[in-house]
Amino acid sequence: MDTELLASARTRAVIARLLAANPRRIIIIDSPPALAASAASVLAMRVGQVMLVVRADRTPESELRAAVNILDGCEHIQLVLNAVAYVQGGARFGSYYGQDSAQ
């Protein structure tokens, strides 16, 4: 995606027209990873909510925090935890994400 196009008044107008046609409409716009390209941060300024997909046991907390900071143009940032391996009685999620913050 061209960042200039996403930042343009035309993109803002297209999104506004789509929402005006049906205010209950949910528009999903996929973008490259937030840390890999600027498109996500530009889109974050144009939308009402961001869903940030985080891969369990692979995404370090420092990268997650950096991505959230980049997307702070949007007031509502939600996290989706992807590829979780369930281990009965295990505490893998909490232990992994707690390790990076101690460094």
Side-chain angles (χ1 to χ4, degrees):
M1 285 186 186
D2 185 355
T3 304
E4 279 187 36
L5 179 62
L6 293 173
S8 72
R10 180 163 168 77
T11 297
R12 185 181 320 189
V14 167
I15 292 172
R17 278 192 310 214
L18 287 170
L19 291 173
N22 182 351
R24 296 175 48 107
R25 178 176 283 158
I26 296 173
I27 303 167
I28 299 174
I29 304 171
D30 192 12
S31 76
L35 298 179
S38 60
S41 65
V42 172
L43 279 170
M45 293 184 286
R46 299 275 185 251
V47 299
Q49 181 175 354
V50 169
M51 290 180 58
L52 182 60
V53 179
V54 179
R55 184 152 183 193
D57 297 327
R58 296 286 300 270
T59 306
E61 183 179 349
S62 59
E63 289 182 11
L64 176 57
R65 288 182 187 276
V68 169
N69 286 335
I70 287 171
L71 301 172
D72 72 352
C74 182
E75 184 177 340
H76 302 284
I77 300 174
Q78 310 299 321
L79 301 179
V80 176
L81 187 62
N82 194 13
V84 176
Y86 175 74
V87 178
Q88 189 170 356
R92 294 177 61 214
F93 173 73
S95 62
Y96 177 78
Y97 285 96
Q99 290 173 0
D100 191 47
S101 62
Q103 293 176 351

